[in-house]
Amino acid sequence: MTDDAFNVGQSEWYHPTDEIIQNAHIPDYEALYQEAMQDVEAFWGQRAEVLDWFQKWDKVLDTSEAPFYKWFVGAKTNIAHNAIDRHTKTWRRNKLALIWEGEPGDKRTFSYHALWREVNKFANVLKSMGVRKGDRVTIYMGRIPELLMAMVACAKIGAVHSVVYGGFSEQALADRIADAQSRVIVTCDGSWLRGNIVNLKQVVDEAVHRSPVVESVIVVKRTGQDIHMEPGRDYWFHDLMNLPIASPYCETEVMDAEDPLFILYTSGTTGKPKGVLHTHGGYQLYTSTTLEWVFDLKDDDRWWCAADPGWITGHSYIVYGPLILGATSFMYEGAPTHPYPDRWWKMVEEYALTVLYTAPTAIRGLMRFGDAWPSRRDLSSLRLLGSVGEPINPEAWRWYHKVIGKERCPIMDTWWQTETGGFIITPMPSVSLKPGSATRPFPGLEVDVVDEEGNSCAPGVDGYLVIKKPWPSMLRTVYGDPDRYVDQYWSKYAKQGWYFAGDSARKDEDGYIWVIGRVDDVIKVSGYRLGTAEVESGLVSHPAVAEAAVIGVPDEVKGSVIYAYCILVTGFEGNDALVDTLKAHVRHEVGPIAIPAKIEFVDKLPKTRSGKIMRRVLKARAMGLPEGDLSTLES
Ligand code: PRX
């Protein structure tokens, strides 16, 4: 968020119509918020009654080992039961759970019954490969229905999935496999992107080579090109699903509410990715409640969360949230502009999609092509829009509102994180909006903007975003590293016991929250979260690079792009050819999303006397701004 956006946007109101308010699940946000805050535990306990539990809880929240909070203590459940099993016993068994379109234009649909069968079959396949409750399974796939099936199948048998986004490459994947110690990988031969095949299996082969813990690789045939299949290790998904062991009946494992459901790696301040751990009980409650109330999902909706299932947005709002609600979701495999810039709008028209949830970077990217592309399509089915991943600039917000939503569709700008599991600061359809603000906290959540000491900041003053009370879908730990969990999120405001989000923000006179951005070494490139350290390790793993420093620089479409400064090993010459080589190297090691937009060769990096790179100075240099106080700089 820029100062301009704040100054203008603060008084730019968009009020919902009476019709929207009357039809909303929550017509009066304020009243519900007040009610929830009177007794947060009772609020969640009551709401949890809408889900199925094999055994009810003894206690909603246990704070005795804070910050290792426990929710729904003593309860037995399984998210797969609520997401699929239970729907097959109701009229929803023949309702569409998923409508999918591949980039080349192929289509597939699954009813809840059909999805349930596939999930059961695959759950049996996993079992036959020796996967047991608590085992980790790494999933590295394109955006195809089997990805969703594999996730729910893991949950069903109590295995813990670790989905790695298909935009990551060898080393990033190898690190995540090694950290989770996954013996089984589920992948596909390739996926379609902008008319080309992304060869995912080749990346898996290399990563498995670097992480020898892997025993079996299950490969879905998607693109059909020739790939290497290692005898005794690699198996085709379709072969396994045709074996008698792949029976359509698989008992759903009875899980403790606090048993792990998944690990999702996210970038932090060090090179080692953090395995954010979420559990069955609280997560199923929070994702389904937030989705129902914020996007007002009803049975006749067709919901499109255009994120990738490999990120938290997809986990919570493509896979679990919508399935638990028994909703119909739409999923698309490829690029928004393939073959033409109206691909998204064509699909909204064709499938009569009613709610679209995407990222500001995608909106800005499509906005560049002008109004004619969306205007030639019938977008009248849409009734609500959403945004996530980074602050949305008011120009993009207004375009989205006017050209896509035809000024009828409120925009839900949802602020949250991999760690939070679900929306934290967000409007609901009945809340008045201001472009660029995620508005107010979800009921049951206490959020504030505070200074270093923890005092609430006055309106208009920048501070740190904190969450003052635990919530059901909070991360439970960093996988295998509880100290890092405490240190990263709970140490800054340890005295008060608040969660530190790592973002800066500002409130306005109306109590609306405006998120500014990260305060740590995390860069958001096209809404994707990357750690500077990850890109730096990628660069220094090349023999020419002695040291590297990476910063994020504002970009009109991507939000931020990466600038890299490299000190070369003696004997290497910093020329254009080396820039290309290093970009290719980062693509290969970390992934295409991590490729620096600019690489500059330098003799020295600005460092503090203790040896810490002063990114602030590099950023000022890159943007042509004053470099500020350099007194602590190493001479
Ligand atoms: O900086 C905030 C930004 O994205 C970060 C979390 O990234 P990740 O864990 O990848 O999750 C993204 C999807 C939930 C936050 O710390 N962020 C996310 N949503 C918004 C946002 N910044 C401003 N406005 C948002 N709506």
Side-chain angles (χ1 to χ4, degrees), residues 284-556:
Q284 62 180 358
L285 169 64
Y286 197 79
T287 51
S288 55
T289 307
T290 47
L291 181 62
E292 181 170 5
W293 292 355
V294 173
F295 284 102
D296 223 6
L297 278 202
K298 312 223 168 61
D299 262 318
D300 55 0
D301 269 311
R302 284 192 167 182
W303 158 251
W304 183 16
C305 168
D308 193 283
W311 297 89
I312 192 68
T313 313
H315 279 53
S316 300
Y317 298 113
I318 296 178
V319 182
Y320 292 113
L323 291 178
I324 294 168
L325 294 178
T328 301
S329 273
F330 175 71
M331 183 165 151
Y332 166 61
E333 177 185 36
T337 49
H338 188 83
Y340 299 110
D342 67 343
R343 179 63 183 265
W344 272 23
W345 318 127
K346 181 170 174 274
M347 295 186 299
V348 168
E349 178 182 274
E350 182 172 340
Y351 299 103
L353 306 177
T354 58
V355 190
L356 169 62
Y357 182 44
T358 185
T361 185
I363 299 163
R364 290 190 295 260
L366 289 163
M367 192 169 117
R368 275 192 312 170
F369 293 101
D371 300 1
W373 291 103
S375 301
R376 277 199 292 267
R377 296 288 173 185
D378 178 4
L379 305 181
S380 60
S381 56
L382 288 172
R383 63 171 187 82
L384 214 52
L385 300 170
S387 174
V388 60
E390 55 179 321
I392 180 163
N393 49 314
E395 302 75 49
W397 196 100
R398 291 188 203 106
W399 184 82
Y400 196 28
H401 188 251
K402 183 159 178 256
V403 179
I404 306 305
K406 313 289 181 213
E407 296 176 344
R408 281 181 300 105
C409 307
I411 299 175
M412 304 295 109
D413 177 359
T414 60
W415 178 92
W416 57 297
Q417 307 177 300
T418 307
E419 293 86 341
T420 69
F423 314 145
I424 299 291
I425 309 171
T426 174
M428 294 180 179
S430 57
V431 169
S432 294
L433 308 171
K434 302 186 189 193
S437 168
T439 77
R440 312 284 301 280
F442 193 79
L445 271 291
E446 196 183 339
V447 174
D448 202 359
V449 177
V450 300
D451 64 15
E452 284 287 339
E453 283 73 47
N455 307 306
S456 282
C457 293
V461 176
D462 293 4
Y464 298 117
L465 201 59
V466 293
I467 307 178
K468 293 185 167 177
K469 280 190 168 49
W471 65 102
S473 66
M474 62 200 300
L475 81 162
R476 297 303 196 267
T477 191
V478 171
Y479 183 70
D481 200 350
D483 292 347
R484 196 168 173 198
Y485 166 71
V486 176
D487 189 54
Q488 192 86 46
Y489 305 105
W490 304 96
S491 64
K492 190 163 176 75
Y493 296 106
K495 206 171 62 200
Q496 298 91 336
W498 298 339
Y499 171 86
F500 172 66
D503 274 20
S504 60
R506 202 183 281 181
K507 281 179 295 193
D508 67 16
E509 296 285 352
D510 299 304
Y512 276 44
I513 297 166
W514 299 69
V515 176
I516 300 167
R518 301 290 307 185
V519 289
D520 53 9
D521 296 331
V522 168
I523 311 178
K524 283 257 153 174
V525 182
S526 299
Y528 296 129
R529 181 165 161 182
L530 278 171
T532 50
E534 268 173 288
V535 187
E536 287 161 4
S537 335
L539 282 164
V540 296
S541 70
H542 190 278
V545 181
E547 208 180 338
V550 153
I551 52 163
V553 173
D555 178 85
E556 256 185 32

Side-chain angles (χ1 to χ4, degrees), residues 525-603:
V525 182
S526 299
Y528 296 129
R529 181 165 161 182
L530 278 171
T532 50
E534 268 173 288
V535 187
E536 287 161 4
S537 335
L539 282 164
V540 296
S541 70
H542 190 278
V545 181
E547 208 180 338
V550 153
I551 52 163
V553 173
D555 178 85
E556 256 185 32
V557 173
K558 296 183 170 175
S560 299
V561 288
I562 296 173
Y563 275 27
Y565 297 85
C566 298
I567 301 178
L568 293 181
V569 170
T570 320
F572 284 92
E573 198 193 327
N575 51 27
D576 288 352
L578 187 58
V579 168
D580 292 344
T581 307
L582 291 179
K583 284 187 180 178
H585 182 73
V586 172
R587 163 189 275 272
H588 186 261
E589 291 294 303
V590 192
I593 50 168
I595 301 173
K598 188 169 162 188
I599 298 182
E600 209 175 300
F601 301 110
V602 291
D603 296 330

